[in-house]
Amino acid sequence: MAGILTVLGVLAVLLATSSGVFALENGVARLPVLGYNTWNAYACNIDENLILETASLMQSLGLQDVGYTHVNLDDCWAEKNRTADGLLAPNAERFPSGFNNLTSQLHDMGFQAGIYEDSGWLTCAGYPGSYSNELLDATTFQNWGFDYLKYDNCYIPFDDVIRQGTYGKYQRMADAIAQLASSSGESPLIYSLCEWGWSQVWIWGTTVGNSWRVDGDIADNWDALANIINLATFITGYTNYYGRNDLDILEVGNGNMTYDENKSHFTAWALLKSPLLIGTNLSAASPDIIGILKNTEILAINQDPTVGMSISPFRWGINPDWTSNSSYPAQYWSGPSENGTVFMLLNTLDEPANMFFNLTESPWIRAGRQYSVRDLWTHTDNGTAVRNFTAAAVPPHGVVALLLQDAGDEPAGILPLCAVYYQCSSENGTSVDGS
């Protein structure tokens, strides 16, 4: 088990209460991007046929219908050298028709198109990077018809060349994108920062990009998911409209997780308002996996047009509150939505568990009220909760996702007079314990 670190209360409060109002409100990516990214399933084995086949699968499987509208290339799309004019060029063997043809076909199918580049000399796979060519490359991407840019952080120039930190290196492309949008009159590229120094990205990512990675590359196992959720726990306040924590590509269905772990993975990513970019080989995905990805009630929270903030923990559960534990992250989460209060109960144990909470532990619940309970996975209305709720026998590494809606005053005559005893009293000062 990973080491346990108790986070300082002052820092915790600061992170929890940050409003995220400094997001890059540039007219694009007001809500998290939903779509597909090629890296996790195919790495460098990509070509134009694969991209178009994937787009067709997204249509035939109903993924486009529920909101997955981006198809994004990752690394390895380029020739190893720039042209004589200094331009990037698509690999002629794998993209013989060129990118204008590819993006036009994707647009005609109703998709937006994304591309990958790097802020250093080279991409992580060794193809030309964009350092010192930011405006030229942003213009090239726009001319090719791309709508989205994932921007990585490999092959960083020496200090005496760059003479700035990570912020400055990423700001160069942000400035180029803004300048291009101003001069062309076209919408700016969606700008996704793939820089995983979470201790700094949440500070400045909100003013540079539309999303920012919180950790290194994801792996398709529970330990990796638990670690990412744990890191995201302390920075939920930095997600809101136009800017959000990116928990990385969805590994749903890639082989090393149980069905319940896949559900937990998708639920956490969606309710924390991360971009949802599928990284699965869709041609091999089972109906159960497609069903997870198509849960419209969960997707509706991710794409909430009224509330942009993420869910946040209200109780850690296994560990004391504000404890960082990469194996056992916080278990009890909630947040507002346009239709009620959302709850995520995450069983981080290796065995089934009953999960109990008092409703008013969530800051979004009112005392003295009862709440209708909607299960976002069983798609059933499960009666009314009064004061507390118990989810019985939550599977190992499983999840419960609920939507609670105010259903009026709680029934009269319920004792004790306060669900939470501490400092509860009548007008004359009589406490609930009679003292």
Side-chain angles (χ1 to χ4, degrees):
M1 187 178 84
I4 299 175
L5 172 65
T6 301
V7 180
L8 292 175
V10 173
L11 175 61
V13 171
L14 173 64
L15 299 181
T17 57
S18 172
S19 64
V21 295
F22 300 108
L24 184 62
E25 298 186 22
N26 60 359
V28 300
R30 179 175 183 269
L31 298 174
V33 168
L34 273 61
Y36 191 89
N37 179 281
T38 59
W39 184 258
N40 288 33
Y42 302 107
C44 287
N45 299 316
I46 56 173
D47 58 34
E48 61 186 40
N49 291 330
L50 173 69
I51 303 306
L52 294 173
E53 288 167 5
T54 298
S56 294
L57 277 169
M58 292 174 71
Q59 291 183 323
S60 63
L61 293 170
L63 291 165
Q64 186 184 46
D65 291 339
V66 298
Y68 294 95
T69 56
H70 281 254
V71 180
N72 298 342
L73 306 178
D74 212 282
D75 207 346
C76 309
W77 56 263
E79 292 285 2
K80 281 288 189 177
N81 296 293
R82 291 177 178 265
T83 69
D85 295 326
L87 297 172
L88 295 168
N91 182 276
E93 180 178 350
R94 287 182 278 122
F95 297 95
S97 302
F99 279 155
N100 288 101
N101 179 66
L102 179 63
T103 59
S104 292
Q105 291 189 68
L106 289 174
H107 291 156
D108 288 345
M109 296 171 72
F111 291 103
Q112 289 193 297
I115 197 165
Y116 166 99
E117 244 303 337
D118 195 282
S119 58
W121 295 122
L122 302 171
T123 71
C124 296
Y127 293 82
S130 286
Y131 182 73
S132 77
N133 288 288
E134 289 83 4
L135 182 59
L136 177 65
D137 291 353
T139 304
T140 298
F141 301 146
Q142 180 176 282
N143 290 341
W144 281 340
F146 286 102
D147 311 285
Y148 171 106
L149 173 63
K150 175 182 175 181
Y151 208 50
D152 218 329
N153 191 39
C154 289
Y155 294 95
I156 300 168
F158 295 153
D159 289 356
D160 63 355
V161 173
I162 195 168
R163 299 193 187 281
Q164 55 194 331
T166 307
Y167 176 95
K169 185 156 60 72
Y170 272 86
Q171 185 68 55
R172 292 168 66 102
M173 180 56 81
D175 291 343
I177 290 171
Q179 180 180 340
L180 177 62
S182 177
S183 62
S184 69
E186 297 186 25
S187 295
L189 293 165
I190 297 172
Y191 189 29
S192 176
L193 313 184
C194 186
E195 202 289 321
W196 49 91
W198 76 277
S199 62
Q200 62 180 339
V201 169
W202 50 262
I203 295 174
W204 54 260
T206 49
T207 63
V208 177
N210 300 111
S211 63
W212 44 89
R213 282 275 294 279
V214 303
D215 196 14
D217 291 348
I218 192 173
D220 59 341
N221 60 71
W222 174 254
D223 289 345
L225 300 186
N227 179 63
I228 293 172
I229 293 169
N230 177 64
L231 289 176
T233 295
F234 301 99
I235 53 174
T236 59
Y238 288 88
T239 281
N240 214 314
Y241 292 131
Y242 297 105
R244 54 199 49 90
N245 297 313
D246 180 356
L247 278 58
D248 201 13
I249 300 167
L250 286 169
E251 280 281 6
V252 174
N254 273 351
N256 291 320
M257 290 186 287
T258 67
Y259 176 70
D260 288 307
E261 289 171 343
N262 279 308
K263 285 174 59 180
S264 296
H265 174 20
F266 178 76
T267 303
W269 265 233
L271 300 189
L272 271 83
K273 302 293 180 79
S274 174
L276 300 179
L277 294 172
I278 300 168
T280 307
N281 180 346
L282 293 176
S283 64
S286 70
D288 283 345
I289 293 303
I290 299 302
I292 290 174
L293 295 168
K294 289 173 62 178
N295 185 328
T296 54
E297 294 194 67
I298 298 289
L299 289 170
I301 307 301
N302 182 266
Q303 296 291 295
D304 192 321
T306 303
V307 178
M309 68 177 65
S310 162
I311 61 170
S312 296
F314 60 85
R315 173 154 50 95
W316 264 240
I318 292 174
N319 297 302
D321 292 350
W322 298 111
T323 296
S324 176
N325 187 325
S326 61
S327 297
Y328 298 97
Q331 296 182 286
Y332 295 85
W333 304 64
S334 71
S337 80
E338 66 171 342
N339 293 316
T341 301
V342 183
F343 286 83
M344 181 176 76
L345 312 179
L346 190 66
N347 179 14
T348 60
L349 297 173
D350 298 330
E351 57 191 24
N354 295 332
M355 301 189 70
F356 167 92
F357 64 96
N358 290 314
L359 300 189
T360 54
E361 288 184 77
S362 165
W364 310 106
I365 291 292
R366 295 167 59 192
R369 308 287 286 182
Q370 58 186 328
Y371 287 82
S372 64
V373 179
R374 175 72 176 178
D375 189 310
L376 303 183
W377 277 110
T378 63
H379 308 296
T380 56
D381 295 320
N382 293 358
T384 303
V386 179
R387 296 203 173 185
N388 57 64
F389 183 88
T390 299
V394 181
H397 303 167
V399 72
V400 173
L402 306 170
L403 181 66
L404 270 60
Q405 294 179 302
D406 193 307
D409 289 338
E410 68 180 25
I414 294 181
L415 295 175
L417 295 175
C418 294
V420 179
Y421 290 72
Y422 181 70
Q423 291 290 345
C424 180
S425 74
S426 67
E427 186 177 1
N428 67 8
T430 302
S431 299
V432 294
D433 61 2
S435 62

